Amino acid sequence: MAETTKKPLKDRFAEVAGKFAATRFVRAIMDAGYSVISFSIVGAFFLILTVLPQVIRVNGFISFYANTIGRFTDLFQSVYNATMGIIALVFSGTFAFSYTKIYRDEEQINLVPMNGLMMFLMGFFITVAQLVWKDGRMQFLQSITKTKMVVGGYQASTAGIYRIGAVGIFVGLVIAWLTVQIYRYTVKHNWQIKMPDSVPAGVANSFSALIPAFCVAVVVAILNGALVIAGTDMFNLLFIPFSFISNIADTWWGFLIIVFLIHFLWWFGIHGATIIGSFTTPIVLANMADNAQRGGQHFFAGDPTNSFITIGGSGAMLGVAIWLVLRARSSQLKELGKVEIVPAIFNINEPLIFGLPIVYNIDLMIPFICAPLASGIVAYLAITSHLVPVIRVQQPWPTPVGLGGFIATTSWQGGVLSIVCAIVAFLVWYPFIKHYDNVLLKQEKEGATATAE
C-alpha cells in the first residue's frame, strides 16, 4: 500500500488560514472595514479644522483662526458627527448588506441585500434606546447630569446620539449577524409572503421581507427586554468582553502580538492585515472616537500601523526600497528597488513581498517580522509617555512617511515620530538585506562565469 505523503506544516497552516480568510463572516467584515475608510477620512479632515489652534500654537494664527475659520467650528463638528458620529451604522450596516449578499450568491436563496440592511437598522435601533425596569414596567431612562444627558432613552451630546457612534460597533455587528441569520432561516423555510409574478419587483421584495422583519423585531426585542429586566442591556452586556479584548489590544504586548500575527501570516503568502484587521477594525475605530471626542489616551486607535509601524508597507520596508535603489549591488535587487521605490512611498510593497521574495524566504523572515515590532515599540513608548499626542484622526493609509504621523496625531511630533520609526525599522533590516544582496551578487557572478565557459 502506498504511503500517503503528509503536507508540510507550513502548507497546512497556510491552508487553514486561507480557509478562515475565505469565510463569509470575515469577507463581510472586510467589506465593512473598507466602507468606513472614506467616511472616517472625511470626518478626520473636518476634525483637523477644529483643532488647528492646538497644532499651530502661534498667537497670531490663533487670533486669526478665531476670527475666521473658528467661527464655523460647530458646522465642522456637525460634519464630523455625520461621519464618525454614525460609524456604527455605516460599519455594521455594510456588514449586514454584504453578509446578506454573500449568502444570496453562494446559497442561491432569495435574499435581498437591501432588505438585510433595513432589517438590521430596525433591530439595531431597538437596542439603542436605554431602558430600565422600574416599578414593574419598562421605562425609558431619563437622566441629566453635568457630564451626561439621557432624554427619552437616548443619550446625546455635541457628538450626536451616543450609541450610534463608534461605541455601538460591537453591538451593531452582533445585531447584523443575528438579523442575517434570521432572514436566511425564514427564507429557507419559506416564511414569507409571495406575490404573483405580475407584481413589480420592488413591491414583491417589500412584502417578502415582512415576516423576516417581524421575526427580527420580536427576537431582538425579547433579548433586549430580558436583559433590561435583569438590570442591564445589550450594550452593557457586550461592553464587558469587548472592552476586555480592547484593553488587551491597547497594551504593549497585546499590540505587538497583533503586529507579529500580521507579518507571520504574510510570510505564508496570506494577507495578514486583512485577517487580523477583521478583528481589530472595530477596536481601533472605537478607540479613535474616544480619543477625539472624550480625551481618551488609547495608543491602539485609528491607523497606528500605517502611521508608525509598517511605513513602506508590511514589514516596514520603505528604508529597504530606498537602499535597494541607492546601494544594492546585485542587479536583481537593484532593478526590484527601481520598481518598488514609488509604491513604497505610499505604503505599498507587494513587489518586494513577492519579488524578493518574502514569502517562504527563511533568510528574510526575521527582519520582516522584527522591523515592525521594533518600530512599534518606539511608537508605543513615545505615545504612552506623552511625548507624542495620541491618534485622533484616520489618515489615508497611503499617506507618505512623516505626513501620515502628522495627520494622525495632528501634531508635528507625530510627523517626527513617523520618520524615526522608519529609520529604526531600516536599522533592523540593514544587516539582513545587505547579506541577502551579497548572496545574490555571488550567484549572479557564478552564473555569468558558467555562461562564459
Side-chain angles (χ1 to χ4, degrees):
M1 182 181 292
E3 293 185 4
T4 56
T5 55
K6 291 185 177 180
K7 292 182 180 179
L9 180 60
K10 65 180 183 181
D11 291 344
R12 281 184 284 165
F13 180 84
E15 184 178 342
V16 171
K19 288 181 178 179
F20 176 77
T23 60
R24 292 163 179 163
F25 183 85
V26 170
R27 282 184 286 151
I29 281 281
M30 293 316 301
D31 286 344
Y34 296 141
S35 73
V36 302
I37 291 175
S38 58
F39 273 80
S40 58
I41 291 174
V42 170
F45 174 79
F46 282 91
L47 178 63
I48 290 173
L49 292 179
T50 66
V51 299
L52 280 176
Q54 302 173 34
V55 180
I56 307 174
R57 297 178 179 275
V58 179
N59 290 333
F61 176 79
I62 293 174
S63 60
F64 171 78
Y65 175 88
N67 293 313
T68 54
I69 302 174
R71 296 174 182 267
F72 303 94
T73 53
D74 285 351
L75 177 61
F76 301 151
Q77 181 67 44
S78 68
V79 177
Y80 182 82
N81 294 347
T83 52
M84 289 301 296
I86 62 167
I87 205 71
L89 300 182
V90 178
F91 187 88
S92 304
T94 304
F95 172 84
F97 183 94
S98 178
Y99 203 35
T100 306
K101 184 175 183 294
I102 290 170
Y103 271 115
R104 181 199 67 185
D105 295 342
E106 296 183 0
E107 292 192 350
Q108 298 297 308
I109 53 180
N110 187 29
L111 299 179
V112 180
M114 186 56 69
N115 286 347
L117 169 59
M118 293 297 108
M119 285 187 280
F120 152 72
L121 291 175
M122 174 192 65
F124 181 61
F125 271 97
I126 291 173
T127 68
V128 168
Q130 298 182 51
L131 298 164
V132 292
W133 183 256
K134 187 177 180 181
D135 299 329
R137 64 191 297 264
M138 201 81 66
Q139 300 180 34
F140 285 120
L141 178 64
Q142 309 283 347
S143 173
I144 300 177
T145 65
K146 291 182 179 180
T147 58
K148 183 172 69 173
M149 178 179 69
V150 184
V151 178
Y154 294 94
Q155 180 178 338
S157 67
T158 56
I161 299 176
Y162 178 66
R163 286 187 165 184
I164 67 174
V167 71
I169 288 178
F170 300 119
V171 174
L173 281 176
V174 172
I175 297 298
W177 177 86
L178 183 62
T179 296
V180 175
Q181 295 303 328
I182 292 173
Y183 186 23
R184 170 174 167 255
Y185 181 88
T186 56
V187 170
K188 289 186 73 172
H189 290 79
N190 293 317
W191 294 6
Q192 55 183 324
I193 299 173
K194 294 184 178 180
M195 305 297 289
D197 294 338
S198 58
V199 176
V203 177
N205 287 337
S206 63
F207 274 92
S208 68
L210 181 58
I211 293 177
F214 182 78
C215 292
V216 169
V218 169
V219 171
V220 175
I222 289 175
L223 284 175
N224 201 53
L227 291 172
V228 171
I229 292 174
T232 184
D233 63 15
M234 198 165 290
F235 275 80
N236 292 323
L237 181 68
L238 293 179
F239 175 79
I240 298 172
F242 282 116
S243 63
F244 176 72
I245 296 171
S246 179
N247 289 337
I248 290 176
D250 216 17
T251 62
W252 67 268
W253 57 271
F255 172 71
L256 292 181
I257 288 174
I258 290 171
V259 174
F260 171 82
L261 290 175
I262 289 173
H263 292 83
F264 183 67
L265 289 171
W266 255 127
W267 189 77
F268 289 92
I270 300 165
H271 202 303
T274 298
I275 295 179
I276 304 302
S278 66
F279 297 103
T280 60
T281 297
I283 295 173
V284 293
L285 288 174
N287 287 348
M288 182 177 68
D290 188 57
N291 288 349
Q293 298 172 358
R294 291 174 287 279
Q297 292 297 312
H298 303 285
F299 168 77
F300 194 53
D303 189 3
T305 52
N306 286 308
S307 301
F308 305 113
I309 317 306
T310 58
I311 297 170
S314 295
M317 300 181 74
L318 176 61
V320 173
I322 296 172
W323 187 87
L324 293 181
V325 173
L326 300 178
R327 304 293 296 174
R329 299 167 63 200
S330 68
S331 58
Q332 176 182 336
L333 292 190
K334 200 166 190 67
E335 291 301 316
L336 187 60
K338 293 177 183 178
V339 173
E340 169 61 20
I341 185 63
V342 174
I345 294 173
F346 300 98
N347 298 327
I348 301 169
N349 72 330
E350 275 75 6
L352 288 182
I353 288 178
F354 298 103
L356 281 174
I358 297 296
V359 177
Y360 294 141
N361 188 338
I362 197 67
D363 293 329
L364 299 180
M365 179 183 182
I366 292 177
F368 184 72
I369 293 176
C370 291
L373 290 176
S375 57
I377 291 172
V378 171
Y380 186 89
L381 292 175
I383 291 177
T384 55
S385 63
H386 306 298
L387 292 174
V388 177
V390 294
I391 294 176
R392 295 188 290 176
V393 169
Q394 180 84 23
Q395 92 289 355
W397 67 265
T399 307
V401 61
L403 183 59
F406 171 78
I407 294 175
T409 63
T410 62
S411 70
W412 63 267
Q413 296 98 319
V416 172
L417 176 61
S418 178
I419 296 171
V420 170
C421 287
I423 294 172
V424 169
F426 176 68
L427 292 177
V428 174
W429 266 104
Y430 177 71
F432 295 92
I433 195 64
K434 182 175 175 59
H435 172 73
Y436 191 60
D437 181 49
N438 291 335
V439 171
L440 293 181
L441 179 64
K442 182 179 178 181
Q443 291 176 356
E444 289 173 0
K445 289 181 177 179
E446 292 174 349
T449 303
T451 302
E453 294 177 351

